[in-house]
Amino acid sequence: MITSIKRHMGTHWCRHIEGRTWTPEAISGCILKAVRREIEMTFQGPPQQVVITVPASFGTEGRRATLLAARLAGFEPRTTRLFDEPAAALLQQWQTQRDAQNERDLRSGTG
């Protein structure tokens, strides 16, 4: 079993399993490929744009490795964007608050 693969992205870490060498990018690519299949089944087609969150501490190599994993999973490089996890969490919180405000406005007749 392999756990916590994200922390190895952009490093020279690898594991040899059943005669095959696995890099963090290859393992992450397999995970992202499974996510891609779910997206395609749910929405009856490939995604038009992809946003992948990465730790804010990721440097250039970690980001490059994540984009490689996305490419290995079949995501188009020109439509794949990386977003820092803290910024993504902040945007989600803002969206949730905005949605709650809009719901209150609609209920009070001011929206």
Side-chain angles (χ1 to χ4, degrees):
M1 178 168 61
I2 297 173
T3 59
S4 303
I5 195 63
K6 190 180 346 181
R7 72 180 64 186
H8 299 292
M9 294 295 283
T11 69
H12 295 291
W13 181 95
C14 67
R15 287 291 179 263
H16 303 283
I17 302 171
E18 297 182 9
R20 183 171 174 193
T21 301
W22 289 87
T23 63
E25 296 82 6
I27 294 165
S28 292
C30 288
I31 295 166
L32 289 172
K33 190 179 289 187
V35 170
R36 182 172 185 251
R37 281 195 298 264
E38 286 293 319
I39 292 168
E40 289 175 346
M41 287 190 325
T42 301
F43 296 102
Q44 286 87 38
Q48 300 298 312
Q49 294 181 333
V50 178
V51 175
I52 300 173
T53 60
V54 297
S57 61
F58 264 23
T60 303
E61 291 305 314
R63 291 171 177 277
R64 190 175 294 139
T66 302
L67 289 172
L68 174 58
R71 194 168 353 123
L72 292 171
F75 290 117
E76 291 291 324
R78 61 185 166 74
T79 61
T80 303
R81 302 289 180 261
L82 299 184
F83 211 70
D84 288 341
E85 289 169 350
L90 184 62
L91 282 176
Q92 176 59 37
Q93 181 181 15
W94 176 78
Q95 181 69 42
T96 300
Q97 289 173 348
R98 195 179 88 183
D99 290 348
Q101 179 63 43
N102 289 340
E103 185 177 326
R104 283 193 298 275
D105 288 347
L106 288 173
R107 280 196 258 134
S108 67
T110 62

